[in-house]
Amino acid sequence: MNSHFFAGRSKGTDHHVEPYRLIECADGIVFAIIFASHGVEFIQGYCRKALIDKWGMQCIDTFKRGGDSTLTRAWAIPLKQGSFLFRPTRLDLVAEQEWMRGTKG
C-alpha cells in the first residue's frame, strides 16, 4: 500500500475497522502529507509517523522543505509540535532524499 487516507473528522479510519492506527515508515522512506483544495493537490509537508483515529490525524516527526533564495540548496525544517489534521488528507510513501536527512547547518 503506497497511500494511506484520512477521510476527514468523524469519517473513520478509511477501510480499517480499528478505532485508531499508527503507521510508520521504514528507513529511506517518508510520508508526503497531501491535501486537495478545489481539485488541486498540495504537499503540506512530510512526516515519518502518523496516528489516525476517527477524529483526526496526528503527523509525528513532521518537517517542511526550506531553501535558499536562489533555489540551489534545500534542507528540512522540523516542526516541533507536529501537525494535527482534520480535513481529508492522504499520506503517500516517497523515497527519502538527501535534503530530508538534515537541517540547515
Side-chain angles (χ1 to χ4, degrees):
M1 177 183 289
N2 290 334
S3 295
H4 297 274
F5 297 94
F6 172 64
R9 179 164 241 170
S10 77
K11 304 275 196 231
T13 59
D14 196 26
H15 61 276
H16 299 275
V17 296
E18 301 90 16
Y20 66 90
R21 59 190 167 120
L22 175 68
I23 51 177
E24 297 182 68
C25 293
D27 288 338
I29 304 289
V30 298
F31 289 121
I33 306 166
I34 301 171
F35 71 94
S37 178
H38 302 286
V40 179
E41 291 188 333
F42 295 92
I43 296 177
Q44 180 173 339
Y46 301 87
C47 69
R48 299 180 192 287
K49 301 179 205 177
L51 178 63
I52 303 172
D53 65 18
K54 72 177 190 172
W55 300 110
M57 177 167 56
Q58 178 185 8
C59 295
I60 305 163
D61 294 336
T62 308
F63 59 95
K64 292 186 177 191
R65 184 178 181 147
D68 62 5
S69 61
T70 61
L71 302 176
T72 57
R73 291 188 9 218
W75 54 86
I77 300 172
L79 302 176
K80 293 180 182 177
Q81 297 185 5
S83 295
F84 293 91
L85 306 165
F86 305 105
R87 64 179 169 222
T89 307
R90 183 178 85 234
L91 298 176
D92 280 355
L93 292 171
V94 296
E96 187 176 40
Q97 298 175 18
E98 186 63 37
W99 69 265
M100 296 174 176
R101 293 187 182 101
T103 58
K104 183 177 179 181

